[in-house]
Amino acid sequence: MKKHIAMYIGSLNKGGAERVMVNLAEYFFGRGYHVTLITTYLADDEYEVPHGNWSLTEKDGFIKTEVLNPDDELKYVYLKKENDGIDRVFTALMPDERGGRLANFKRRISKLRNTFKEINSDIILSFLGKNNVMAINAARGLGIPVVVSVRSNPSREYGSKGLNLSMNMLFPKAAGVVVQTTGAKEYFKDSIQKKCRILPNSIHPDFINKEIVPFENRTKTIVSVGRLDDNKNQILLIKAFAKIADKHSDYRLVIYGDGPSKNKFMDEAKSLGLLDKNIFFMGNVSGVADKIKESEIFVLSSKQEGMPNALIEAMALGLCCISTDCPCGGPKDLINTKENGILIPMGSDDAMVESLSNALSEVIADRELSKKMSEAAVSVRQEYSPDRINLMWEEYFEELMR
């Protein structure tokens, strides 16, 4: 009989944590496990799951089901009757299931608990902040091991007083706590650190299977890939690029992604006279690997990160990478400055703009250094290969399920 793994997350919206979960779901399904993805919502722009037992359009053998999107709008999804792929269950409280605030909290836990009982998996994997607390709470007494995974800096993911208190109470009851860096593990108290396992992200096959473009054939393009928000901090990159744009007018900055700060970032680029001239916003796109593989420079400007997918992927394509040395240490685990990339020290906004603009100038001017870092960066293909990292997850789960 197949072992059954349940994976719980808010939605499959296009973010780093969601991509890792989709990749893990496909890996375990391919290895012969029964996999069920449990999500609260159906997001409007989700990752494709090739073996998913659901469809957004009507099909024979699929059942039309009411669900909610993250904005609490009614949506429809078609769920396959036969579970010959990766199953999907939705746990949002529908409008007719709601009451007052306290009642709703209890009902969400109860609905999730009933879902766990009905699925009766051999293990539950949960991703991100409140979901992790909910998963441990809902699974208590069911006899199913729960593994929670912290996907970014724990001080950010558990920044609120209530969530931090819940985390400290409930994480010691988890079967395991997956973190991505040593720095993240060290955030927790001893009783939680004992449960921690460091499992970094793997590189998506799209970024390993691409042929590496020789450095001398790359386009004079600086790229950034990620959600456009204050934490990803693309405004730092925009300001730093503006300081070198006149001297290096043959370079352009191309920003991929969408998010709540998009208009603010575009306004900044416009005020600097660079919008749609030297700085371009491309929104969310498919096939990012193909879009950036010929670019010369990649910049990660985040204030906080776990193990940043976008940085690993850019290194795997041989881009010359510059990153902030942000907590909780993911970029530092990846980059040795001036060997396979450059780390920018954290500091005041003005100091970081200066540091980043200097780094960009150095990378553009010193072709020998840039070529060396570009060629060294691709070693992440071996260290963070899906085969290696996914096997680490599988061995860990098998250990816990025994």
Side-chain angles (χ1 to χ4, degrees), residues 2 51 103 107 123 157 301 365:
K2 290 182 179 180
H51 293 98
R107 289 173 187 177
I123 196 167
E157 206 164 307
S301 51

Side-chain angles (χ1 to χ4, degrees), residues 2-23:
K2 290 182 179 180
K3 289 182 180 175
H4 188 175
I5 300 172
M7 300 184 179
Y8 172 54
I9 197 167
S11 75
L12 302 181
N13 187 51
K14 289 184 176 176
E18 292 82 0
R19 176 163 45 179
V20 172
M21 183 164 278
V22 166
N23 291 347

